[in-house]
Amino acid sequence: MPWGNIFETIMLLCFAAAWPASIHKSWVSRTRKGKSLAFMLIILAGYLAGITKVLISGTAAYMLIPYSVNMTLVACDVVLYYRNYRIDEGLPDIFG
């Protein structure tokens, strides 16, 4: 495994370690205050670009795993953002 891929994997694992805390905050706080939808969408675009790079290069297919995990975690936070938007606006909570 080339050193560049090792450090890229470490970076992605560090990012992945931070998202569960963000998801927990979104779930417990029941508000979108303090969250930035634009930020999360930019992060999703970055992970999508990383996945595209892996697919285009045709090498290091194992790099799809950390990118996919991170995209899933950010997507969960985006879903919770919309759930909390509904709560903030006084609409019914879609998750009960």
Side-chain angles (χ1 to χ4, degrees), residues 1 7-8 12 25 29 49 54 65-66 69 78 81 85 92-93 96:
M1 176 183 324
F7 287 116
E8 185 177 7
L12 290 168
K25 178 186 176 195
S29 70
V54 171
I65 296 168
V69 168
V78 169
Y81 178 92
Y85 170 83
D93 179 359

Side-chain angles (χ1 to χ4, degrees), residues 8-86:
E8 185 177 7
T9 301
I10 292 170
M11 175 199 68
L12 290 168
L13 291 174
C14 290
F15 288 164
W19 283 109
S22 181
I23 291 168
H24 181 264
K25 178 186 176 195
S26 294
W27 182 260
V28 172
S29 70
R30 300 177 64 85
T31 183
R32 70 184 190 271
K33 294 176 184 160
K35 293 287 188 164
S36 171
L37 179 61
F39 173 78
M40 290 186 287
L41 294 177
I42 290 167
I43 296 296
L44 279 175
Y47 290 145
L48 187 59
I51 288 172
T52 303
K53 178 209 66 140
V54 171
L55 294 174
I56 289 173
S57 70
T59 60
Y62 58 86
M63 292 300 296
L64 291 173
I65 296 168
Y67 279 116
S68 299
V69 168
N70 282 342
M71 275 195 70
T72 302
L73 290 169
V74 178
C76 286
D77 214 8
V78 169
V79 169
L80 288 173
Y81 178 92
Y82 282 108
R83 170 242 195 189
N84 291 343
Y85 170 83
R86 293 180 61 83

